[in-house]
Amino acid sequence: QVQVVESGGGLVQPGGSLRLSCAASGSMFRVYGMGWYRQAPGKERELVATIATGGSTNYADSVKGRFTISRDSGKNRVFLQMNSLKPEDTAVYYCNVQREIVYWGQGTQVTVSS
């Protein structure tokens, strides 16, 4: 089993920044990667960014150049630095750990509004 806990969400004005953190614990072996997804009201969950065990990253087109995913492998933590936030970035952000199955956290709310 793997436990995943997100933190760092909140309310921010358009153009502002937030840094999300994800801490994973438990059976952290044979991990292919970790990632961030988000789900806005009335919409399906969508990929934001992923980082593979080897370090390669992947971003949704909508966040390229604004968001950066990074990790602290030794502590099984992943971060999402979000800059130049827009109202359309408002969503619940979920972290996951990708093994033979995918483990999800409970999510953290990000609201971008003036």
Side-chain angles (χ1 to χ4, degrees):
Q1 282 284 38
V2 174
Q3 293 76 45
V4 183
V5 179
E6 305 96 336
S7 62
L11 173 65
V12 63
Q13 292 187 343
S17 298
L18 277 177
R19 186 177 189 240
L20 305 183
S21 297
C22 171
S25 60
S27 301
M28 291 293 291
F29 56 90
R30 296 178 190 161
V31 173
Y32 305 133
M34 296 178 68
W36 288 97
Y37 288 69
R38 66 187 181 187
Q39 187 166 18
K43 295 187 177 181
E44 294 189 353
R45 192 173 297 189
E46 63 177 7
L47 177 145
V48 176
T50 61
I51 184 163
T53 301
S56 60
T57 58
N58 182 46
Y59 294 91
D61 287 343
S62 60
V63 306
K64 283 181 180 177
R66 300 189 298 124
F67 291 10
T68 302
I69 189 170
S70 61
R71 66 179 180 180
D72 179 347
S73 298
K75 296 184 178 180
N76 293 324
R77 299 188 69 180
V78 170
F79 308 96
L80 186 69
Q81 178 66 42
M82 306 186 294
N83 298 328
S84 302
L85 282 160
K86 304 175 181 180
E88 51 263 43
D89 294 317
T90 295
V92 178
Y93 284 70
Y94 297 90
C95 177
N96 74 13
V97 173
Q98 300 137 30
R99 288 183 55 195
E100 70 281 2
I101 62 174
V102 179
Y103 297 88
W104 293 92
Q106 293 299 306
T108 185
Q109 176 71 46
V110 172
T111 302
V112 185
S113 174
S114 55

